[in-house]
Amino acid sequence: MSRSERSPLLLAGLLAGAGVAHFAAPRLFDAIVPKALPGSPRTWTYAGGVAELVLAAGVALPPTRKPAALAAAALFVGLFPANVKMALDWRDRPTPLKAAAFGRLPLQVPLVLWARSVARGTEGRQES
């Protein structure tokens, strides 16, 4: 299997793993839901988990890959405020945890670019 064939499946796996994690350990996700959002953090946690599972299925299936990958890119952008909140909340934690929380912030960019490349079907190919 080529890199371009594996990339969508790896992205689907990442999304599925994150989606399952929302249900397996919801308190971790509840804690990073921005307070400005209406409703309970748990509702947002479960909604995020469902969204990631749906997107994982969509990215894994070729007929729905493009719109699902574009939606995943949008989701990664939309999750940035939660990651910022986590980094700020964790600034008083031990250095390794603080570094991990702040280190996640720039990782959003490659995730968005990866999802966009899956949508374009250009993952692993040289652009001309």
Side-chain angles (χ1 to χ4, degrees):
M1 182 180 284
S2 73
R3 181 176 171 184
S4 64
E5 292 169 326
R6 282 191 314 266
S7 187
L9 299 179
L10 292 171
L11 179 60
L14 174 81
L15 288 162
V20 168
H22 280 71
F23 294 96
R27 284 191 293 178
L28 296 172
F29 296 94
D30 293 349
I32 64 171
V33 173
K35 295 189 185 330
L37 291 176
S40 77
R42 184 61 51 94
T43 300
W44 287 101
T45 293
Y46 287 156
V50 168
E52 287 173 330
L53 290 169
V54 168
L55 291 174
V59 168
L61 300 170
T64 56
R65 181 165 295 150
K66 183 176 183 175
L70 290 173
L75 177 72
F76 294 143
V77 170
L79 290 175
F80 191 73
N83 291 332
V84 169
K85 181 183 183 316
M86 179 182 177
L88 293 174
D89 289 348
W90 285 28
R91 64 184 167 228
D92 295 326
R93 299 243 177 139
T95 300
L97 294 176
K98 182 174 27 179
F102 278 94
R104 287 179 51 169
L105 298 178
L107 290 177
Q108 294 301 119
V109 173
L111 287 173
V112 170
L113 295 175
W114 181 19
R116 287 183 57 207
S117 76
V118 167
R120 286 192 310 267
T122 59
E123 61 288 332
R125 292 188 208 146
Q126 294 283 46
E127 301 272 342
S128 37

